[in-house]
Amino acid sequence: VQLQASGGGLVQAGGSLRLSCAASERIFSIASMGWYRQAPGKQRELVADITSGGSTNYVDSVKGRFTISRDNAKNTVYLQMNSLKAEDTAVYYCRIKGRATWFSGPNDFWGQGTLVTVSS
C-alpha cells in the first residue's frame, strides 16, 4: 500500500491550500488518519488526526484554521488549511493506521510528503 500526498505549494500568508492523501489500495480496519509536518531543523509533529469514529485532534497552533476530513470509500484524507502563516511552512506527511489485508497485522502507512511554503 502506498500513500500519495498532493496539494502542497507556495502561497502567501493568509492564503489557503488543501492537501489530499490517497491510498493506492484499500486499507482495512483503519484506526486513524492524520497529517504530520516537519519544518527545517525541527522534529516531525502531529498537525491533525481523525479516528475511525470521527473524532478529530489538532495541534494548538492550527486550531480554528485547519480542518481534517476523510473519505472512507476512497481511503483518502484531506487537510484544508486556511489563514496560512509563515510558521506553517514545512513538509507535510500523511499517515494512515490500518491493515493491508483482513489477515495482516496493524501497520502505519506514510505518504512521501508534500512541501508547503508560506511567504510572509
Side-chain angles (χ1 to χ4, degrees):
V1 177
Q2 295 183 352
L3 303 186
Q4 182 67 46
S6 61
L10 174 64
V11 63
Q12 289 187 336
S16 299
L17 284 174
R18 187 189 192 216
L19 305 183
S20 300
C21 175
S24 60
E25 305 170 35
R26 179 181 174 184
I27 298 176
F28 297 82
S29 301
I30 293 176
S32 66
M33 297 176 164
W35 289 93
Y36 293 70
R37 66 186 178 187
Q38 187 166 18
K42 295 187 177 181
Q43 291 188 332
R44 189 175 298 188
E45 65 170 352
L46 172 67
V47 176
D49 63 10
I50 181 168
T51 68
S52 59
S55 298
T56 58
N57 176 51
Y58 298 89
V59 66
D60 286 346
S61 59
V62 308
K63 286 180 179 178
R65 301 188 297 122
F66 291 10
T67 303
I68 189 170
S69 61
R70 67 184 183 195
D71 185 330
N72 288 335
K74 297 181 179 179
N75 279 187
T76 300
V77 59
Y78 305 96
L79 185 67
Q80 177 66 44
M81 306 186 295
N82 299 327
S83 303
L84 283 161
K85 304 176 181 180
E87 50 264 42
D88 295 319
T89 295
V91 177
Y92 284 71
Y93 300 89
C94 55
R95 178 190 190 184
I96 298 180
K97 297 181 180 180
R99 299 173 186 264
T101 70
W102 281 118
F103 310 106
S104 59
N107 209 336
D108 277 340
F109 302 99
W110 287 89
Q112 84 287 2
T114 184
L115 177 62
V116 172
T117 304
V118 184
S119 62
S120 57

